[in-house]
Amino acid sequence: MVNIGNLNTNSERRGFSFIVFIAIIGFSLARGIANFYTNYLWFDSVGLESVWVKILLTRTALVGATSLIAFIFIFTNLRLATRATPVMDIFEAFDSEDPLARFRSFVSERFARFRLTGAVALSLFLGAGASTLWEQVLLFLNRQGFGVSDPVFNYDVASYVYGLPLYRLFVSWGFQLVTLTSLVVILYFIATGALQLRPGRLPEVSSGAKAHLSVLLAFIALLKAVAYRLDALELLYSPRGKVFGASYTDVVAHLPALNLLILISLFGAILLLVNIRRRGWLLPTTAIGLWLAVSIIVGGIVPAAIQRFRVVPDELNKELPYVEDHINYTRLAYGLDSIEERQFEASPNLSQNDINDNSQTVDNIRLWDPTVLAETYSQLQEIRAYYALDEVDVDRYMIDGQLTQVMVSARELDQTNLPAQGWVNQKLQYTHGFGVVFSPANNVASQGQPDFYVKGVPANTSVAELEVDQPRIYFGESADSDEYVVVNSLQDEVDYPLSTEGQSVAYTNYSGEGGVSIGSFFKRLGFALRYSELNLLISNQLSDGSKLIMERNIISRVKKAAPFLYTDNDPYLALIDGNLFWIIDLYTLSDRYPYAQPADTTRINDRSGLPINFNYIRNSVKAVVNAYDGTMNFYVFDENDPLIKSYAEIFPSLFDDKSNMSDDLLNHIRYPEDLFTIQSDMYRDYHMTDPRVFYADEDPWVIPTDSSTTPRLATLRGEFSEIGFKPMLPYYLLMSLPGESDLSYLIFQPFNPENRPNMQSFLVADADPENYGQIIDFKLPKGEFVDGPTQVATRINQDPDISQIFTLLDQQGSSVIKGNLFVVPINQSVLYYQPIYLQGEQNPLPEFKFVVVVFQDRIIMAESLTLALEGVFGDLEIDLDLDIDDTEDISAIDLLNKASDLFDQAQNALTDGNLGKYQDLIIQVEELVNKALETLNQQ
C-alpha cells in the first residue's frame, strides 16, 4: 500500500498521481461498459433488442463510414503534399535560433513517421460526431412522401423534412474536413519550404503546392455552391416578410441572387483548377472579388431596394400570394385544415325542460377540479406517508349501464417518506404502490367530500365495473427515472398496510414478467457499476431468481424505448379487465415544414415534453404501459403521418397497428391535451383563411383568462406573469354535442375576439373511437354579444350576494377556492358553471360547498347543481327574511345570504355612527356564518 505521507520526492508524487489518474480512467471506462451492457439487458428484457441493435449498428456504420471518408481524403492529401514539396535542402543554412527553422526541422523529422497515425486520429475526430446523425440518416433512407409540394420549387415536403437537415449537416461536415485538411497541408508546406512566408513580401509558393492548394480551394468553392443551393431552399423558412416563409422579396430578389452565387462559386472552382497551369493567383483573386461584389450588391443591396421601393408601397398585393401559401401550409402542418365549422346560435332561450331533456350532459357536469381533488385524495386516501396520490385524471366508464365521467388517481410509492431509509428498505422491501382511487366527477358525499367508487387499502369497491384484480403499481408517473428496485429477493416485499392504525403489513413477491434477471455475477457487476451500488454485488439477499426493475418512470421508459418520439405532459391511468394501464400520447415533430408558422408553445413549455421549436406535429402513437410488469405497446394511431410510416419501417418490431388495440382500451383513449392546446393557440389566427383578412389582422382571437384559484393556477401564476394573464387551459367534458343525442368525450376550448370580453367561438375535439380526432369549430353569431368566460367570471365576482358570502367565509378562517369556470353548450345555448370549495385553516382539506350557475343575466349560487339549476331555470327563491332564532331547517346558502344582508346593515350602522347596533348585527352575522358552516359540514 502506498503511504501518501511518505511521498517525499517529486517522482513518487508523480507516480502516485499517475496511479490515481489511471484508476479514475479505468473506473470511468468500466462504468461506460457497464452502462452499455445493462442498456442491452434492458432492451432485451422488454423485447426490443432489435431497436437497440439497429441504433447501435447505424451509429457504428456512420462513424466508420465518415471516418473512412475522412481518412482517405486526409491521407491522400498528405501523400500528395509530400510529392508537392520542392526537392531542395531548405535547411542548408540552418539557424538554431530561428523559430521557423526549428519548426521545419521538427516537422521534417516526424512527418513521414506519423503521417498515417495523424490521418487516423484526425479522421476519427471528424467521424465521431456522426453517430448523432443516426435518426436523420435512417429517416432519409426510409423516407415517405407527404403528397404535398411546396409552392416555390415544387418539391415534395419530404425533401425538406427528411433531406434538408441531413444535407446541411453533411455540407457542414465537408467544410470541416476540407478546412482541417487544408490547414494541415498549409502547415506542412510552410515546414518544408513549399510555402515561404517572408516579412514585407508576398508568400512564395512552389508549383506543386500551388496546384494542391488550388484543388483544396476548389473543393471549398464547390461546397459553397451546394450551401447556396441549400440557402435557396431555406428561403421557405424566411422570417423577413409579413409572414413566415418565402416572401415576394425572397422569391424575386434573394432567390435569383443565390442562384447567381451558385454559378459564381462553380465558376470560381473552375478558375481555381485552370489556375493550376497558370502563374500567379490572378484568376482566383478575380473570382473571389466577383463573389464579394455579387454577395454585397445582389445579395444585400438589391433585395433591400426591392423591398423598400416595390414591396412597401404595395405590400398587400405583392405579399398576398405568399400570405395565402403561409396560411394553407400552416393549417396543413397542425391539422387545422380538417376542422369542421358549424354555426352555433347562442340562443337566450333555455328552459328547465331543455335541461331535463339533456340530462345525460347535465348528469356528467364535473364538479371536481383535478388539482383540488388531488389535495383531497392526498389527505383522505394516501393511508400511509409512503404512498402518494399526486395526479388526478379524468376518464369515463360504464357504471350501471350509463357512461359516467370519473376521476381516477394511482396510489404510487413515495420512497422519500419510507418508515426508515437504507438500501434494503428502499430497494428490496418497499418496491411498489398499491391500488387506485375512483370517484364520480359529478357527485359529492357528506361534508363536501368525494363520493368514492373505489377507496382504501385493500380496495373497497362499491361498483362491480371498477374491480381491480392487480392493484400493485411498479411503474408510474412519480418514480424517479434513475430509481430501481430489486424483486424476487430473499427479502419479502411490503405489499400494503393491514389497517389504518396498526403497524402490521401484508407481504408479497413479484410474479410479473418485467425486470432484468441479475442471477449471474457479471449482470450484478454491471448494475453495481451502473448505479455505483456495491450492495448489488455483495448482498446475500439476492438470489438466482432476483430481478432488477429499472426505468420505472413511465415517461422515461417510453422515451428510452422510442427516443425519437415526444411525450404529452399528462399520462393517464385506465382500468382494463381488472388490470391497470398507463396511456401516454406520443408525437412526431419536425421544424422543417415549408411556410408553416413555428408553434406557439407558451401554454405548454413548462409542463410538457415537447421542444420549443417545431412547425409540424402529429399525435401518431399511443403508448400503453402495464403498471404491474411494465410491458409496453406502441400503437400507431395516425396511419397517414409520413414520419410514423418511416419509423415503422425502421423499427417494425416496435409498433403495433391500431386495429390490435382492444375495444376496452379504445374506449379510454382521449384526444391529447398538449396537441389540442397547440392547435387551439394556432387556430386563434389561422381560423382566418382569407389572405386579405389575415394580412389586415381583422379577426384575431385570444384565449380567455382563467378565473380559478385552484392550487395549480396558483403555481402557474408566476409562469404567466410575464405575459400578463393566466390563459384558460382546455378541459375534458362528457356531453352531447349540439344537434346530437349520444354522449361524446370531448376536449373543449373557448375563444374571445381580441380586446373584447364576449365569446366568439369554441373548439372541440372528439375522443370517442368512432369519431376520434374530429375537430369542430362552433362559431357564435358575430352580430350578437355573448358573454365570454372572463366577463362571466367578473360578473360572479361582482355579484353583491356572492362576493359578500365569499368575504364572510374568508373572515371565518376558511379559504374560498374557485374551481374552473366551465362553458357547457346545451342545445343551442351556453351555460356557465363554477364549483366553489372551502379549505379550513385547522383542517386544510378542500371540500366542495357550492356551485355557481350562470345563464344570461341570471346568477345563482347553491349547495348543489340541482338547486342552482332550479334557481336559474325554475321557481326556486332565496329567502332573506329569516327568523334569526329559528334556523334549524334553513339551507346554508339562505343562512349566508341573510348574513350578507345583515352585514350590509352593520356597515350602514357603522357609517351612521351607531356602534351599538353595528356590534349587535356583527354578532348575528357571525352566528349565521357559523351555523351555515355547521350545516355544510353536516351535509
Side-chain angles (χ1 to χ4, degrees):
M1 178 177 288
V2 179
N3 187 341
I4 300 176
N6 294 329
L7 299 178
N8 295 321
T9 67
N10 290 334
S11 61
E12 289 176 335
R13 292 192 183 96
R14 286 196 298 270
F16 178 73
S17 299
F18 179 74
I19 292 172
V20 172
F21 174 76
I22 293 299
I24 293 173
I25 294 297
F27 180 73
S28 299
L29 182 62
R31 283 202 69 183
I33 295 172
N35 283 334
F36 179 84
Y37 175 53
T38 52
N39 277 336
Y40 170 76
L41 292 177
W42 182 83
F43 276 95
D44 183 60
S45 72
V46 297
L48 295 176
E49 68 277 4
S50 62
V51 174
W52 185 86
V53 169
K54 175 158 278 190
I55 293 175
L56 175 65
L57 291 178
T58 306
R59 285 175 177 268
T60 305
L62 283 171
V63 172
T66 52
S67 297
L68 179 61
I69 293 170
F71 173 77
I72 293 172
F73 188 82
I74 294 171
F75 189 72
T76 300
N77 274 276
L78 293 180
R79 290 201 55 159
L80 292 173
T82 58
R83 295 183 180 182
T85 302
V87 183
M88 60 180 182
D89 187 3
I90 62 173
F91 306 112
E92 187 174 2
F94 179 75
D95 183 359
S96 60
E97 300 299 323
D98 183 4
L100 180 59
R102 291 200 304 271
F103 172 69
R104 288 175 172 174
S105 175
F106 178 84
V107 172
S108 179
E109 293 173 3
R110 293 167 175 79
F111 183 79
R113 194 188 330 163
F114 295 109
R115 183 174 57 191
L116 178 62
T117 306
V120 170
L122 289 175
S123 61
L124 289 175
F125 170 76
L126 288 168
S131 66
T132 61
L133 305 181
W134 66 268
E135 184 181 350
Q136 292 97 318
V137 170
L138 287 175
L139 281 174
F140 182 79
L141 295 176
N142 295 272
R143 58 192 179 275
Q144 304 287 325
F146 276 70
V148 178
S149 298
D150 79 89
V152 177
F153 302 100
N154 203 32
Y155 294 158
D156 191 282
V157 170
S159 301
Y160 303 93
V161 173
Y162 294 105
L164 188 55
L166 196 62
Y167 300 149
R168 179 64 77 183
L169 287 168
F170 278 125
V171 168
S172 176
W173 182 82
F175 271 116
Q176 294 177 33
L177 173 62
V178 177
T179 302
L180 183 61
T181 303
S182 300
L183 180 62
V184 173
V185 168
I186 289 171
L187 290 175
Y188 176 71
F189 285 155
I190 293 174
T192 57
L195 174 61
Q196 299 190 24
L197 305 176
R198 297 180 180 179
R201 298 177 60 182
L202 292 174
E204 295 183 8
V205 187
S206 69
S207 60
K210 176 188 173 185
H212 195 157
L213 291 176
S214 294
V215 172
L216 288 174
L217 289 173
F219 269 112
I220 293 176
L222 290 174
L223 287 171
K224 191 63 180 174
V226 177
Y228 281 133
R229 180 56 181 170
L230 299 182
D231 290 342
L233 296 177
E234 289 185 345
L235 288 175
L236 301 183
Y237 315 102
S238 169
R240 285 185 287 264
K242 174 68 176 178
V243 294
F244 186 83
S247 64
Y248 177 88
T249 303
D250 289 319
V251 174
V252 172
H254 282 110
L255 182 56
L258 289 170
N259 288 334
L260 184 57
L261 287 169
I262 292 172
L263 294 176
I264 291 173
S265 297
L266 294 174
F267 181 64
I270 294 171
L271 288 180
L272 284 164
L273 295 177
V274 171
N275 193 61
I276 293 175
R277 297 189 177 277
R278 295 175 63 89
R279 298 187 62 182
W281 294 90
L282 178 61
L283 290 180
T285 304
T286 302
I288 293 173
L290 179 63
W291 172 73
L292 288 173
V294 171
S295 298
I296 295 171
I297 298 172
V298 180
I301 297 175
V302 171
I306 290 177
Q307 178 68 27
R308 179 64 188 86
F309 296 107
R310 292 185 62 181
V311 176
V312 173
D314 190 25
E315 189 173 40
L316 174 60
N317 292 320
K318 290 291 189 296
E319 298 287 8
L320 210 57
Y322 306 100
V323 172
E324 184 174 8
D325 290 334
H326 170 75
I327 295 171
N328 293 336
Y329 283 82
T330 298
R331 288 171 62 88
L332 284 169
Y334 294 97
L336 307 182
D337 59 307
S338 60
I339 292 178
E340 177 186 352
E341 293 185 2
R342 297 183 189 176
Q343 297 303 312
F344 187 81
E345 295 178 11
S347 170
N349 303 314
L350 188 67
S351 66
Q352 185 66 52
N353 289 335
D354 295 322
I355 297 295
N356 296 337
D357 291 341
N358 287 271
S359 58
Q360 285 190 112
T361 296
V362 174
D363 289 345
N364 280 288
I365 282 179
R366 176 156 58 89
L367 299 178
W368 287 102
D369 185 284
T371 54
V372 172
L373 195 58
E375 291 194 32
T376 304
Y377 276 0
S378 176
Q379 295 188 47
L380 295 177
Q381 286 297 309
E382 283 187 352
I383 311 299
R384 288 286 191 272
Y386 51 81
Y387 288 136
L389 290 155
D390 292 333
E391 297 286 338
V392 177
D393 291 307
V394 185
D395 203 350
R396 70 280 197 201
Y397 288 82
M398 293 297 294
I399 307 293
D400 295 329
Q402 299 292 324
L403 191 61
T404 305
Q405 193 165 206
V406 169
M407 315 299 288
V408 57
S409 181
R411 188 181 289 106
E412 297 190 52
L413 180 68
D414 181 2
Q415 288 199 326
T416 62
N417 285 313
L418 297 181
Q421 297 297 314
W423 187 77
V424 172
N425 257 18
Q426 290 177 299
K427 305 304 180 184
L428 306 185
Q429 276 200 300
Y430 291 90
T431 58
H432 59 276
F434 194 93
V436 290
V437 177
F438 282 102
S439 65
N442 60 329
N443 282 359
V444 180
S446 62
Q447 299 184 6
Q449 296 179 5
D451 186 15
F452 293 105
Y453 283 149
V454 179
K455 63 179 180 178
V457 175
N460 180 3
T461 306
S462 61
V463 293
E465 293 88 345
L466 298 178
E467 287 284 352
V468 183
D469 297 329
Q470 181 50 269
R472 295 164 186 86
I473 300 174
Y474 286 84
F475 301 88
E477 290 184 88
S478 300
D480 192 303
S481 58
D482 293 327
E483 281 185 8
Y484 71 91
V485 295
V486 178
V487 297
N488 295 339
S489 67
L490 301 180
Q491 179 72 55
D492 288 337
E493 301 172 49
V494 171
D495 200 20
Y496 59 86
L498 292 174
S499 68
T500 56
E501 301 296 333
Q503 298 300 313
S504 58
V505 295
Y507 292 93
T508 189
N509 282 299
Y510 184 72
S511 59
E513 296 296 323
V516 180
S517 172
I518 53 172
S520 72
F521 169 80
F522 286 106
K523 289 181 179 179
R524 291 170 65 175
L525 175 62
F527 283 108
L529 287 169
R530 180 188 183 101
Y531 293 110
S532 301
E533 180 53 72
L534 184 61
N535 286 313
L536 283 171
L537 192 61
I538 66 174
S539 174
N540 59 6
Q541 295 295 310
L542 305 184
S543 68
D544 291 342
S546 296
K547 292 181 177 181
L548 185 142
I549 297 180
M550 57 188 288
E551 300 297 344
R552 298 174 61 222
N553 181 280
I554 54 174
I555 295 292
S556 69
R557 188 173 183 84
V558 299
K559 280 185 175 180
K560 191 176 185 71
F564 40 83
L565 299 177
Y566 296 86
T567 59
D568 191 82
N569 85 93
D570 189 20
Y572 49 102
L573 194 68
L575 175 62
I576 311 293
D577 295 329
N579 295 304
L580 299 173
F581 294 89
W582 295 100
I583 303 176
I584 308 163
D585 288 291
L586 300 176
Y587 304 104
T588 51
L589 303 176
S590 175
D591 61 353
R592 298 281 90 187
Y593 203 94
Y595 269 102
Q597 178 72 24
D600 181 353
T601 57
T602 305
R603 291 198 290 164
I604 66 167
N605 266 349
D606 296 321
R607 57 186 181 87
S608 174
L610 300 180
I612 296 176
N613 296 315
F614 59 90
N615 69 350
Y616 172 88
I617 183 170
R618 290 293 185 271
N619 173 218
S620 299
V621 176
K622 305 278 187 184
V624 180
V625 182
N626 189 304
Y628 181 65
D629 63 21
T631 302
M632 293 178 288
N633 293 96
F634 295 83
Y635 296 99
V636 175
F637 234 72
D638 187 348
E639 302 92 340
N640 297 319
D641 174 34
L643 285 174
I644 202 58
K645 288 181 183 179
S646 297
Y647 286 124
E649 283 195 7
I650 298 167
F651 305 109
S653 63
L654 178 61
F655 297 103
D656 291 318
D657 192 78
K658 180 175 67 173
S659 60
N660 295 328
M661 186 179 281
S662 69
D663 290 340
D664 286 340
L665 193 54
L666 276 170
N667 289 330
H668 289 282
I669 63 169
R670 69 188 191 191
Y671 199 83
E673 183 179 351
D674 279 354
L675 175 60
F676 189 71
T677 301
I678 291 166
Q679 289 177 318
S680 301
D681 287 338
M682 300 305 295
Y683 197 63
R684 292 177 302 171
D685 291 321
Y686 293 92
H687 68 276
M688 297 181 284
T689 55
D690 185 326
R692 293 181 180 274
V693 174
F694 187 94
Y695 177 87
D697 203 22
E698 290 182 7
D699 188 25
W701 294 347
V702 296
I703 304 296
T705 302
D706 196 323
S707 63
S708 64
T709 57
T710 61
R712 178 184 62 81
L713 263 297
T715 301
L716 291 178
R717 193 186 308 273
E719 296 177 9
F720 293 105
S721 60
E722 294 184 2
I723 56 177
F725 67 97
K726 301 178 299 177
M728 177 183 284
L729 295 176
Y731 50 85
Y732 292 98
L733 292 174
L734 184 59
M735 57 169 283
S736 298
L737 283 170
E740 300 180 8
S741 57
D742 295 333
L743 284 175
S744 299
Y745 191 59
L746 311 167
I747 187 168
F748 187 101
Q749 179 71 71
F751 298 99
N752 289 354
E754 190 174 63
N755 299 321
R756 296 177 64 190
N758 59 297
M759 186 163 67
Q760 184 66 63
S761 168
F762 58 87
L763 194 69
V764 300
D766 201 329
D768 291 333
E770 58 273 15
N771 297 315
Y772 182 84
Q774 180 186 28
I775 308 178
I776 306 173
D777 172 21
F778 287 93
K779 292 192 171 182
L780 281 62
K782 285 191 175 182
E784 298 182 17
F785 191 91
V786 180
D787 288 345
T790 305
Q791 192 169 21
V792 170
T794 302
R795 288 177 53 199
I796 292 173
N797 292 333
Q798 292 178 350
D799 183 273
D801 294 329
I802 294 176
S803 63
Q804 193 78 290
I805 290 172
F806 288 167
T807 301
L808 293 171
L809 291 172
D810 282 332
Q811 290 177 348
Q812 294 298 313
S814 298
S815 296
V816 175
I817 300 174
K818 300 174 187 176
N820 292 115
L821 179 63
F822 291 91
V823 184
V824 182
I826 297 180
N827 290 348
Q828 288 291 323
S829 299
V830 176
L831 179 74
Y832 287 91
Y833 79 93
Q834 185 173 39
I836 305 297
Y837 313 92
L838 286 185
Q839 187 173 30
E841 291 181 356
Q842 301 301 322
N843 178 26
L845 175 68
E847 297 176 341
F848 173 88
K849 295 303 179 185
F850 307 107
V851 61
V852 181
V853 174
V854 181
F855 180 71
Q856 296 294 309
D857 59 350
R858 285 166 276 177
I859 303 177
I860 291 292
M861 184 170 75
E863 296 156 58
S864 70
L865 181 63
T866 301
L867 290 174
L869 290 172
E870 288 179 0
V872 172
F873 298 104
D875 299 324
L876 181 66
E877 296 289 341
I878 304 299
D879 185 9
L880 296 180
D881 298 323
L882 301 177
D883 185 351
I884 300 301
D885 298 323
D886 183 16
T887 58
E888 290 301 320
D889 298 321
I890 307 302
S891 69
I893 196 69
D894 287 338
L895 290 168
L896 290 171
N897 275 304
K898 181 60 180 177
S900 174
D901 182 59
L902 292 178
F903 187 79
D904 288 338
Q905 295 180 32
Q907 294 300 314
N908 292 333
L910 181 62
T911 302
D912 295 338
N914 192 340
L915 297 180
K917 183 178 180 181
Y918 170 78
Q919 186 174 7
D920 291 339
L921 289 170
I922 289 297
I923 292 173
Q924 294 180 39
V925 168
E926 291 179 354
E927 291 175 354
L928 287 171
V929 172
N930 290 331
K931 180 62 178 176
L933 291 173
E934 290 176 9
T935 303
L936 288 170
N937 291 331
Q938 291 170 3
Q939 291 177 348

